[in-house]
Amino acid sequence: LITGSRYQDDVKHLEVRGDKKKSIPLTIGDEINFAFDPERSCIGYRQAEGASGSLLSCPNKVSGISSSQCPDCLGSAKILPCLRCTGEVCRNQVKRPSCVQPDNHALYLAGFASGVIKVGVSRWPRRHQRLLEQGARTAIILARDDGQMIRRYETQITSFGFVDRLSSAEKLSYLSQNISVDKLLEEITEAYEKIRLRMRAPWLDEIETVSLPDYPVIQGLESASLWKPKDNPGRAIIK
């Protein structure tokens, strides 16, 4: 079971798990033979903070699920409580000291297509990288505060009808559309002005417009569905 990949000493490694966990270094020209199991298995969960963060196997060895984790492992994952945070009550006291630092989180509005505006939260130093990871066409940074308060503002904005999540398939489909970034930025800015009148938050004196790549239009993704593995073996060569 491939559970991840990483670089170590400038060499790419695959993290795999059988009876034991191990790391396999890959070099150019290596050939990998693999097979896909149509029955998805739980990947387990990460250990608590300060315990190396390694992935623990699912204690119940659950398979035949539609997600990457079974309910028990999902509940044991230490990072997920933060992702589900609404800002009302801290769900993860282990991470609270790093979250409560002043002005270390950003609140943003990101545009993916006309009428598709997503509100989100990021660590302040990662705000641009976070938007790049999501494939947004343009975005503005609205406010800066500690993590719990920023989550509270995000939750309030979602109550106004803005989404805080988009599926990968939705994001792919927007890459098939010709989009005017200037027009989309106008939509986002107009949305911000309406939000600002409805709630109090530590808004930035000047909202920060994030310059993002001009993604090429990719035809055929209008009804994109994510690729799903079949039960036939495959082979890949590292190039």
Side-chain angles (χ1 to χ4, degrees), residues 114-130:
S114 182
V116 183
I117 299 175
K118 174 185 177 293
V119 60
V121 168
S122 171
R123 292 272 182 175
W124 183 260
R126 291 193 76 254
R127 62 195 187 281
H128 297 168
Q129 183 179 345
R130 179 63 181 147

Side-chain angles (χ1 to χ4, degrees), residues 48-59:
E49 203 84 8
S52 80
S54 59
L55 191 68
L56 295 176
S57 298
C58 174

Side-chain angles (χ1 to χ4, degrees), residues 159-200:
S159 72
F160 301 155
F162 293 90
V163 298
D164 60 349
R165 288 176 176 80
L166 291 171
S167 70
S168 298
E170 287 175 308
K171 293 173 185 175
L172 282 173
S173 70
Y174 299 138
L175 292 178
S176 68
Q177 301 180 18
N178 282 299
I179 294 172
S180 167
V181 172
D182 290 339
K183 184 177 180 181
L184 189 52
L185 184 58
E186 288 179 8
E187 288 185 27
I188 295 174
T189 305
E190 182 180 346
Y192 161 64
E193 293 297 339
K194 292 179 179 178
I195 291 168
R196 188 169 61 87
L197 294 174
R198 299 182 67 179
M199 60 181 284
R200 298 180 63 184

Side-chain angles (χ1 to χ4, degrees), residues 10-228:
D10 295 327
V11 176
K12 185 72 172 177
H13 285 67
L14 279 183
E15 295 178 356
V16 298
R17 184 183 298 277
D19 293 333
K20 295 182 178 180
K21 177 184 174 182
K22 61 181 178 178
S23 180
I24 302 176
L26 302 176
T27 58
I28 294 175
D30 284 349
E31 183 174 303
I32 304 172
N33 289 298
F34 57 90
F36 293 109
D37 186 345
E39 202 171 71
R40 198 169 185 177
S41 300
C42 176
I43 64 169
Y45 62 95
R46 297 282 174 187
Q47 286 183 308
E49 203 84 8
S52 80
S54 59
L55 191 68
L56 295 176
S57 298
C58 174
N60 300 318
K61 302 188 182 303
V62 175
S63 62
I65 55 177
S66 59
S67 60
S68 60
Q69 290 174 297
C70 69
D72 287 345
C73 288
L74 187 64
S76 299
K78 296 301 179 183
I79 190 173
L80 290 172
C82 291
L83 296 179
R84 298 194 298 267
C85 178
T86 62
E88 292 303 317
V89 178
C90 181
R91 296 170 177 262
N92 191 352
Q93 291 295 327
V94 173
K95 282 189 168 289
R96 184 59 182 147
S98 62
C99 174
V100 76
Q101 299 299 318
D103 297 337
N104 67 339
H105 280 71
L107 178 71
Y108 63 79
L109 286 180
F112 291 81
S114 182
V116 183
I117 299 175
K118 174 185 177 293
V119 60
V121 168
S122 171
R123 292 272 182 175
W124 183 260
R126 291 193 76 254
R127 62 195 187 281
H128 297 168
Q129 183 179 345
R130 179 63 181 147
L131 291 161
L132 282 168
E133 291 169 351
Q134 295 188 63
R137 297 300 185 94
T138 188
I140 56 177
I141 309 298
L142 311 179
R144 185 175 184 178
D145 207 333
D146 79 72
Q148 187 171 5
M149 292 305 297
I150 285 291
R151 284 290 188 188
R152 192 172 298 179
Y153 307 139
E154 178 191 40
T155 300
Q156 189 171 354
I157 291 174
T158 60
S159 72
F160 301 155
F162 293 90
V163 298
D164 60 349
R165 288 176 176 80
L166 291 171
S167 70
S168 298
E170 287 175 308
K171 293 173 185 175
L172 282 173
S173 70
Y174 299 138
L175 292 178
S176 68
Q177 301 180 18
N178 282 299
I179 294 172
S180 167
V181 172
D182 290 339
K183 184 177 180 181
L184 189 52
L185 184 58
E186 288 179 8
E187 288 185 27
I188 295 174
T189 305
E190 182 180 346
Y192 161 64
E193 293 297 339
K194 292 179 179 178
I195 291 168
R196 188 169 61 87
L197 294 174
R198 299 182 67 179
M199 60 181 284
R200 298 180 63 184
W203 308 115
L204 297 178
D205 292 335
E206 293 186 16
I207 59 174
E208 178 186 350
T209 301
V210 181
S211 179
L212 295 167
D214 184 14
Y215 300 108
V217 175
I218 305 174
Q219 299 297 333
L221 293 179
E222 308 86 67
S223 56
S225 59
L226 296 181
W227 178 79
K228 295 183 179 180

